[in-house]
């Protein structure tokens, strides 16, 4: 394959086409379809977010390339089916961005970002109607393919636009305590399939309200949970290191001893 200039998307498209070529292509790539590639697409998006969270720009460059490859992979499979090609994907997003930014590419003007967001949603609703969608709900267009925490935030935000929302965090916290009490009731009940279903419902309600609290507090749920995960991992690994230095292992310690280690690690962290 002849060398192409750096940044030439044509080179990447040619590589992907070669990988999918039945005559000498890659067996693994040839076996894939939209459904098998979709999980990788989601995973690569999260790896982009992780690189951003770590402030690692070299990693971000690599991860953005991996994410771009996912777009190219899906476009190549669609091209093979005669549905659309990569160029159609580019044209579609260009048209959409121009259409949804009439204040930039047209004569519209908005007082602030909030007004522009309202117009953005109105344009999206018009697009759905033009596409033949009959769902006129305020919740229309919230994808079922989103991570559930993200879908919860979007559903809550859409409901809030028509006034169905708490005024501030205080009633949300009250509701959070209420949901915790309901979880306690189910945990105290005798185990049964019915009780397990109720417990799942109550824990779901608890998580939904926790996401709502984050929304009201203007805290990104995904970012907050990601940092909590990183903090837990950092502290747990430090506990393991201390245990090893003292000639033992975590599994050999009692829960009380493990909790004491956790406290030591927390105390040793810089605030």
């Amino acid at each position: 394959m002849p060398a192409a200039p750096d940044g030439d998307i044509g080179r990447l498209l040619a590589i992907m086409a070669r990988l999918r070529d039945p005559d000498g292509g890659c067996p693994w790539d040839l076996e894939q379809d939209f459904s098998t590639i979709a999980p990788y697409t989601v995973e690569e998006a999260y790896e982009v977010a992780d690189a951003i969270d770590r402030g690692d720009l070299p990693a971000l460059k690599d991860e953005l390339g991996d994410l771009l490859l996912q777009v190219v992979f899906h476009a190549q499979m669609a091209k093979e089916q005669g549905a659309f090609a990569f160029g159609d994907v580019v044209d579609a997003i260009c048209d959409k961005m121009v259409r949804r930014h009439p204040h930039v590419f047209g004569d519209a003007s908005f007082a602030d970002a909030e007004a522009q967001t309202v117009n953005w949603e109105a344009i999206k609703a018009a697009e759905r109607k033009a596409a033949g969608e009959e769902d006129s709900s305020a919740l229309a267009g919230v994808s079922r393919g989103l991570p559930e925490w993200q879908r919860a935030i979007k559903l809550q935000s859409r409901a809030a636009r028509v006034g169905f929302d708490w005024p501030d965090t205080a009633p949300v916290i009250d509701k959070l305590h209420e949901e915790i009490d309901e979880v306690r009731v189910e945990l105290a009940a005798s185990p049964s399939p019915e009780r397990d279903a109720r417990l799942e419902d109550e824990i779901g309600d608890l998580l939904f309200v926790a996401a709502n609290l984050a929304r009201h507090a203007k805290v990104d749920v995904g970012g907050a949970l990601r940092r909590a995960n990183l903090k837990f991992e950092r502290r747990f690994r430090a506990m393991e290191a201390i245990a090893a230095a003292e000639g033992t292992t975590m599994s050999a310690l009692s829960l009380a001893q493990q909790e004491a280690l956790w406290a030591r690690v927390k105390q040793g962290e810089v605030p």
Side-chain angles (χ1 to χ4, degrees):
M1 183 183 300
D6 289 344
D8 183 357
I9 189 65
R11 182 184 178 202
L12 180 57
L13 294 173
I15 290 171
M16 191 70 252
R18 182 72 181 91
L19 291 171
R20 290 280 297 181
D21 188 345
D23 184 15
C26 172
W28 185 89
D29 289 276
L30 285 166
E31 288 179 355
Q32 306 312 308
D33 57 30
F34 295 117
S35 62
T36 62
I37 291 299
Y40 295 102
T41 308
V42 174
E43 179 181 342
E44 295 299 348
Y46 275 111
E47 290 184 0
V48 166
D50 178 61
I52 293 171
D53 192 60
R54 291 183 286 108
D56 189 339
L57 291 181
L60 178 59
K61 177 193 67 176
D62 288 343
E63 297 302 346
L64 286 172
D66 291 343
L67 185 58
L68 177 58
L69 177 63
Q70 298 301 306
V71 177
V72 169
F73 206 140
H74 285 289
Q76 174 63 31
M77 292 187 290
K79 181 179 180 181
E80 292 165 4
Q81 296 180 17
F84 58 82
F86 182 80
D88 300 310
V89 175
V90 174
D91 288 343
I93 190 58
C94 287
D95 291 345
K96 182 185 293 184
M97 288 298 97
V98 171
R99 185 171 64 248
R100 292 185 180 179
H101 292 83
H103 54 299
V104 176
F105 302 104
D107 299 327
S109 62
F110 304 108
D112 51 33
E114 183 176 355
Q116 189 260 318
T117 299
V118 171
N119 186 73
W120 175 281
E121 292 299 332
I123 292 173
K124 288 175 64 178
E127 290 171 351
R128 291 193 295 271
K129 184 176 181 180
E133 294 185 23
E134 298 179 355
D135 188 354
S136 60
S137 169
L139 307 180
V142 178
S143 173
R144 293 180 181 271
L146 292 170
E148 294 302 335
W149 63 264
Q150 189 174 3
R151 189 161 188 266
I153 294 294
K154 282 189 172 289
L155 290 171
Q156 294 161 3
S157 297
R158 289 290 189 85
R161 290 197 184 108
V162 296
F164 189 67
D165 198 13
W166 281 301
D168 52 46
T169 58
V172 187
I173 292 174
D174 290 341
K175 185 64 175 177
L176 192 63
H177 285 295
E178 177 185 325
E179 296 297 346
I180 291 172
D181 288 340
E182 291 177 0
V183 169
R184 285 195 180 108
V185 168
E186 297 305 335
L187 286 172
S190 299
S192 70
E194 294 77 14
R195 174 266 198 178
D196 292 346
R198 292 194 306 270
L199 180 59
E200 181 179 356
D201 284 345
E202 296 301 346
I203 291 178
D205 291 344
L206 176 61
L207 294 172
F208 190 84
V209 175
N212 210 350
L213 178 60
R215 180 178 65 87
H216 273 273
K218 302 187 185 308
V219 170
D220 176 67
V221 178
L225 187 55
R226 182 164 56 251
R227 283 186 284 276
N229 287 338
L230 290 170
K231 178 167 59 178
F232 177 84
E233 182 180 11
R234 181 181 68 248
R235 289 176 176 175
F236 189 84
R237 289 179 180 276
M239 291 165 64
E240 290 178 316
I242 293 173
E246 295 179 352
T248 187
T249 63
M250 287 289 292
S251 59
L253 300 175
S254 67
L255 179 57
Q257 291 171 316
Q258 291 178 346
E259 289 178 340
L261 267 185
W262 179 269
R264 285 172 58 186
V265 169
K266 283 185 64 176
Q267 291 171 358
E269 290 183 342
V270 176

